[in-house]
Amino acid sequence: MNKTIRRASVFTLLLVLALLVRATWVQFYEGQALADASDNRRNAITTYAEPLGNIIVAGEAVTGSAKTKGSDLDYKRTYTDGPLYAAVTGFASQAYQPTQLEGIYANLLNGTDTRLKTVMDTVTNERAEPGTVVTTIDPAVQKAAYEALGDNKGAAVAIDPTTGKILAVVSTPSYDPSSLTDANTAGAAWEELNADSDKPLTNRALRQPLPPGSTFKLVVAAAALEDGLYSSVDDRTDSPDPYTLPGTTTVLRNENSSAPCENATIRTALQYSCNNVFAKMAVDLGQDKVKAMAEKFGFDNAEQDVPVRAYESVYPSDMDRSSTALTGIGQFDVTATPLQMAMVSAAIANGGKLVSPHMVSQITDGGGDVLKNYDDDAGTTEIVSSDTAEQLQSAMQTVVDEGTGTNAQISGATVGGKTGTAQHGENNSKTPYAWFTSYAKADGKEVAVAVMVEQSDAARSEVSGNGLAAPVAKAMMEAALRS
């Protein structure tokens, strides 16, 4: 054979072998990855070939499926009261990846979860009947929070302290998930929502940690009582007023200059929200002890799943004493989500024990059989002693009865709370954040809430936890106690 022909034949053979190897690799090793790729339209066609399973609130579906026209995607997702429940459901879209509960339980809701398959499904290789997600949300509490927040930019969370069930998760401004479900129209809605400076797609209740301001004083007070720095909320503290931050000439003053904050008790300091007391207390405890208590409540947990993963609330490390003082009033680099501050009140209200917060009660298969019961799996952790919890409850009640949280009072109910106004911007140049966290008890029912108002139309001088956030909390607590 001619040498040139022989070399060409060998080269051609090598090319054929390379193609065979590549084809084999793609078929047996990359095939599944290609099949699962988000831009593989076959997946969307399969997912939306049949109606999806539903997300349930108080026995009623807040989701649905509707027939589409002129598309190879036979069905699209629909929502009942979409903006009201958007922070809970998220969205399932023909064009974009699903979010929130729609994303976490996507396989259950589209019938591909292996737990759904019957013997017949396995034999026929058909997709199983989709499952159902049953939430813990109380529609009355959810609606009360949504309506009370109104046009304000903010968020609210409510928890049953005794069970850990999340009764409400609200973020405003909201959006209508239905606008993102149809592939033909989702693109324009997606661009509009992402261009909105108010960021309606951001779940502020779970995924926007901000400085918690004076609501964090509850954590510092808990640390002081548990450590033995003070044995009672009615012990006088060692707290000069005004207080000079250690190592600096910066004087920390109180919002109310006439408040009896000098050497005030913890009860009085919470009642009047005395900055000098808790800044000095944080320094006396030291950052490690404050951090340890914050972490017991849930701060610095990067895997806080409810089951939607909440963003981490942070208590900082490696600070000097002046910075530690500022953390005592919920400033410097302390951040918290409304979920986190609701957890603080829930643990205090429940005798010092935190039941794992969760907003899904159970998931079921297509026939209604329970696949997993999250209520049964909710663990309980002791955060503080029952004595400390009782003392903090009493002090929080004083805040509502006689202090800065009077707008949260509810006739016939025991209510305890803590206001917060967190500085925002360099030298506090922007409108502060208004916070309120609280609990209420009446007729054997309990609820803990946290509300954060990030922006409102109120004048700067009127921005306060009691003025803006406490009325929202009151509406939520009233709804929970009535339900």
Side-chain angles (χ1 to χ4, degrees):
M1 180 183 293
N2 182 283
K3 182 184 291 186
T4 300
I5 296 175
R6 184 168 63 250
R7 288 177 176 174
S9 300
V10 171
F11 180 68
T12 301
L13 179 61
L14 290 173
L15 289 176
V16 171
L17 289 172
L19 288 171
L20 289 173
V21 169
R22 177 59 180 163
T24 303
W25 177 267
V26 169
Q27 182 174 354
F28 291 102
Y29 292 94
E30 294 184 353
Q32 191 60 49
L34 291 170
D36 294 339
S38 59
D39 54 357
N40 185 345
R41 189 165 178 80
R42 291 183 182 179
N43 292 329
I45 292 173
T46 300
T47 296
Y48 293 100
E50 301 289 342
L52 299 175
N54 285 314
I55 297 172
I56 307 297
V57 172
E60 300 290 334
V62 296
T63 57
S65 296
K67 265 285 194 181
T68 56
K69 297 179 180 179
S71 172
D72 55 357
L73 306 174
D74 294 334
Y75 288 86
K76 66 178 180 180
R77 190 52 131 177
T78 61
Y79 294 89
T80 302
D81 293 323
L84 174 61
Y85 293 109
V88 176
T89 62
F91 60 83
S93 171
Q94 294 176 343
Y96 302 103
Q97 290 295 303
T99 63
Q100 303 291 111
L101 295 185
E102 291 276 30
I104 291 171
Y105 296 106
N107 291 343
L108 178 84
L109 294 169
N110 67 27
T112 60
D113 191 313
T114 55
R115 293 172 293 181
L116 298 172
K117 275 192 174 293
T118 64
V119 174
M120 185 58 67
D121 293 330
T122 303
V123 171
T124 60
N125 199 31
E126 292 292 324
R127 189 174 76 175
E129 185 177 353
T132 298
V133 177
V134 181
T135 73
T136 60
I137 300 299
D138 183 322
V141 184
Q142 184 82 6
K143 187 175 182 180
Y146 186 74
E147 292 182 346
L149 279 168
D151 294 331
N152 293 335
K153 188 190 302 183
V157 173
I159 301 173
D160 182 331
T162 63
T163 65
K165 292 182 179 181
I166 295 177
L167 306 178
V169 177
V170 172
S171 178
T172 56
S174 188
Y175 68 99
D176 188 353
S178 297
S179 67
L180 297 170
T181 60
D182 193 319
N184 294 319
T185 57
W190 178 260
E191 290 183 7
E192 181 178 349
L193 287 168
N194 278 281
D196 191 330
S197 60
D198 286 338
K199 299 181 180 179
L201 290 175
T202 298
N203 188 335
R204 291 178 164 83
L206 306 180
R207 294 186 168 183
Q208 183 166 275
L210 294 171
S214 293
T215 59
F216 190 75
K217 292 172 181 175
L218 293 172
V219 177
V220 182
L225 293 170
E226 288 289 283
D227 180 68
L229 180 64
Y230 298 105
S231 61
S232 166
V233 294
D234 294 311
D235 287 347
R236 300 282 289 179
T237 65
D238 178 16
S239 311
D241 181 21
Y243 175 60
T244 302
L245 298 180
T248 76
T249 58
T250 301
V251 175
L252 183 65
R253 302 185 185 278
N254 296 302
E255 289 292 326
N256 183 355
S257 59
S258 63
C261 290
E262 183 175 358
N263 300 326
T265 65
I266 291 175
R267 182 189 302 277
T268 299
L270 288 173
Q271 177 184 353
Y272 291 96
S273 203
C274 299
N275 291 331
N276 64 305
V277 173
F278 292 99
K280 174 70 160 40
M281 195 178 295
V283 173
D284 290 345
L285 286 166
Q287 61 180 291
D288 291 344
K289 290 180 180 179
V290 179
K291 186 178 183 68
M293 180 55 66
E295 289 180 349
K296 290 182 72 174
F297 276 110
F299 283 78
D300 298 331
N301 182 358
E303 297 181 354
Q304 195 173 82
D305 300 332
V306 293
V308 175
R309 175 155 293 182
Y311 283 5
E312 184 178 10
S313 298
V314 173
Y315 184 83
S317 302
D318 303 324
M319 297 174 287
D320 58 24
R321 296 173 74 230
S322 64
S323 297
T324 299
L326 291 175
T327 68
I329 61 172
Q331 296 287 173
F332 188 56
D333 289 340
V334 180
T335 60
T337 61
L339 169 67
Q340 177 59 72
M341 296 316 300
M343 290 166 61
V344 170
S345 285
I348 292 171
N350 194 41
K353 295 179 179 179
L354 179 65
V355 183
S356 301
H358 56 285
M359 65 176 173
V360 173
S361 180
Q362 58 185 221
I363 54 174
T364 69
D365 64 17
D369 293 331
V370 177
L371 298 175
K372 186 173 178 61
N373 191 317
Y374 295 93
D375 293 339
D376 292 344
D377 292 343
T380 301
T381 305
E382 182 172 311
I383 309 302
V384 296
S385 68
S386 59
D387 178 65
T388 293
E390 288 172 6
Q391 291 203 56
L392 289 174
Q393 286 179 35
S394 176
M396 291 172 71
Q397 289 165 27
T398 300
V399 171
V400 173
D401 291 342
E402 310 171 32
T404 59
T406 54
N407 283 340
Q409 293 175 2
I410 299 173
S411 178
T414 299
V415 182
K418 183 67 192 81
T419 55
T421 306
Q423 293 184 2
H424 179 204
E426 187 175 351
N427 297 320
N428 197 23
S429 58
K430 297 184 179 180
T431 303
Y433 305 125
W435 283 86
F436 192 74
T437 186
S438 59
Y439 68 86
K441 301 182 181 185
D443 301 324
K445 296 181 179 180
E446 298 183 22
V447 62
V449 306
V451 177
M452 181 277 298
V453 177
E454 181 181 346
Q455 185 70 47
S456 72
D457 293 332
R460 183 188 179 89
S461 60
E462 298 175 357
V463 174
S464 69
N466 191 45
L468 293 179
V472 179
K474 177 181 179 178
M476 295 169 70
M477 292 187 291
E478 286 181 323
L481 297 178
R482 285 197 307 265
S483 293

